Amino acid sequence: MGNNLGKKDTSLYNSNGRSGTMSIFDKIVPNFISLINSKETKNFAEMSVENLAKICMAGDLGSAIQEGTEIIKYAGSIKDILFWEKMKKWLQGTYDSSEMGTKISAKFTEDSKKYQEYTKRQLQCIAEIDEEEKIDYYANLTRSWLNGWIDTSVYFKLSYLLKVFTLEELKYLKENYTEEELDKVNYYIREFSLYGLIDVIEETNLGHTRYKYSDLAEVFLHTGIAYDECPEKYENIKLEDLKVENTKTCMELVVF
């Protein structure tokens, strides 16, 4: 660790804009938004990873239909190359129809300053997501956001949860979600309760504690991890719209 002190970190992830230095995301965001709003929008999901990197790093929109750029010229490590691959997967999952392309363009032109910041947060989320399958879930959340089913506050909250939970935990939620009350606590339930996916309901007169999946868990399921399996959609739901049964967190001992 000590040998790295004082060295400048130019990686995609660690350039954070401190000390007056522009971060890599500050450079990518304007070019990415220009691409979204350009006449080539319909092609952005099909372009190569190399050209996607070139456009976003250098602002060369003309390369949308050209091949042959070496990715190493725009990304200096395997970690950075994986970022561009995840970004392409997110774009492909989000841009799944011409109608969605129109909604993307409209969303990004509503407020240029606001969406500059939103886009930076989106790219940071892509950089931090550690599994390809989670990128599919993230594309689902993005489509739900663009369709107006969830508010920006819910979108970024659920995006954060994608980074927090493992694929196994997300799979458990997908396979075990129920609207019925839960009587037993296991590791998954305890972890979910720490992040607002479980409501803890305590009957003080009997000393018996019950549990149920929260509104947030339901929205997470329907707009993200089980997007194609859940027909129920929402109308611009906000975090303040989600009912909370109890602010108590499940702290029961889980026996393994």
Side-chain angles (χ1 to χ4, degrees), residues 31 34-36 38 40 55 58-65:
N31 294 332
S34 294
L35 174 63
I36 294 295
S38 74
E40 291 89 358
I55 293 168
D60 183 6
L61 298 181
S63 68
I65 56 175

Side-chain angles (χ1 to χ4, degrees), residues 43 49 79 104 128 137 175 192:
N43 297 321
V49 172
K79 182 171 62 175
I104 291 173
E128 294 172 355
Y137 299 153
E175 294 179 350
F192 292 160

Side-chain angles (χ1 to χ4, degrees), residues 162-177:
L162 279 182
K163 296 184 290 182
V164 167
F165 293 122
T166 65
L167 275 178
E168 290 75 17
E169 289 167 331
L170 295 174
K171 180 180 179 181
Y172 183 91
L173 176 61
K174 185 176 181 180
E175 294 179 350
N176 294 275
Y177 173 84

